[in-house]
Amino acid sequence: ITFEEKNSNIKYWKEISSHYTYQYVPFDMVRRTLSIFYNELIYKLLSDYKTDEILYDFIKKSLLELDCEQVALTDIHLRFMLHLSQLLGFFPAKNYTEKHCFFSIEEASFVPDYYESPYFLSKPASQYLFELMQDEIKTHFPPKAVRNELLYGLITYFQMHNEQINHIDSVPILAEILQ
């Protein structure tokens, strides 16, 4: 319950209650680290964002999913970032083919040529990105090095396509903790 002071712009809370009490996030190091990452990413992306019920529902659903005991945590953060990019309007092109098998972060699409650059993903990371873009639940995951390459690539992608992000501090910790 909030109250507004008359003749003032000050609001204060009289009563606050929790919509949901998290069961696993506060006590599981991986889930807690993921929630810190989500928080930092959302805070930096949405600092000047208007009210958006669809975006709010997505974030709420994602946080509840993070607290679900049965959910696989291996790539949940990567799927979160892809869905978020879609809602914010900079989702990568789904043009992956046998020939266009390298993801260009600058072009936001798959291209036929690879250049040794922080703006290109390797073939395994590009293929994994495309698989995640299909939004299918995975039971087999690529090696940690490929997942980390994709994580850092997506962070670069977010930085390039959204000027509000210049650095995400929690990424190195997240990359280290996830198996």
Side-chain angles (χ1 to χ4, degrees), residues 30 73-75 141-145 147-148 174-179:
V30 174
L73 301 176
T74 308
D75 66 357
F141 302 99
K144 183 177 181 178
R147 294 192 318 269
N148 280 346
L174 182 64
E176 183 65 32
I177 286 179
L178 288 171
Q179 296 301 323

Side-chain angles (χ1 to χ4, degrees), residues 74-75 77-78 120-132 138 140-154 175 178-179:
T74 308
D75 66 357
H77 58 299
L78 302 172
F120 281 87
L121 294 180
S122 68
K123 192 171 186 174
S126 296
Q127 182 178 5
Y128 186 45
L129 171 62
F130 184 69
E131 289 171 7
L132 289 173
K138 296 186 68 60
H140 179 69
F141 302 99
K144 183 177 181 178
V146 173
R147 294 192 318 269
N148 280 346
E149 179 187 349
L150 181 53
L151 171 61
Y152 283 103
L154 285 174
L178 288 171
Q179 296 301 323

Side-chain angles (χ1 to χ4, degrees), residues 100-163:
H100 291 84
C101 56
F102 300 103
F103 185 71
S104 168
I105 292 169
E106 289 178 307
E107 295 181 31
S109 66
F110 295 92
V111 296
D113 300 314
Y114 176 78
Y115 300 97
E116 191 65 41
S117 159
Y119 302 113
F120 281 87
L121 294 180
S122 68
K123 192 171 186 174
S126 296
Q127 182 178 5
Y128 186 45
L129 171 62
F130 184 69
E131 289 171 7
L132 289 173
M133 290 169 70
Q134 304 311 306
D135 204 23
E136 297 172 6
I137 302 298
K138 296 186 68 60
T139 56
H140 179 69
F141 302 99
K144 183 177 181 178
V146 173
R147 294 192 318 269
N148 280 346
E149 179 187 349
L150 181 53
L151 171 61
Y152 283 103
L154 285 174
I155 292 296
T156 302
Y157 180 75
F158 270 65
Q159 290 169 331
M160 186 168 285
H161 296 280
N162 190 302
E163 66 227 15

Side-chain angles (χ1 to χ4, degrees), residues 35-96:
S35 72
I36 291 168
F37 171 72
Y38 283 15
N39 179 60
E40 185 179 6
L41 187 62
I42 292 165
Y43 175 76
K44 290 184 177 181
L45 274 171
L46 306 180
S47 61
D48 294 330
Y49 217 75
K50 306 276 188 278
T51 302
D52 185 333
E53 197 170 317
I54 294 170
L55 185 58
Y56 173 82
D57 289 341
F58 163 71
I59 293 169
K60 179 181 170 183
K61 178 184 156 284
S62 297
L63 291 171
L64 293 173
E65 180 184 28
L66 192 56
D67 200 49
C68 180
E69 186 178 24
Q70 293 81 20
V71 73
L73 301 176
T74 308
D75 66 357
I76 193 170
H77 58 299
L78 302 172
R79 290 186 288 114
F80 174 80
M81 291 178 74
L82 283 171
H83 286 290
L84 189 57
S85 73
Q86 188 171 30
L87 289 171
L88 296 176
F90 56 96
F91 191 70
K94 289 185 175 182
N95 66 325
Y96 181 90

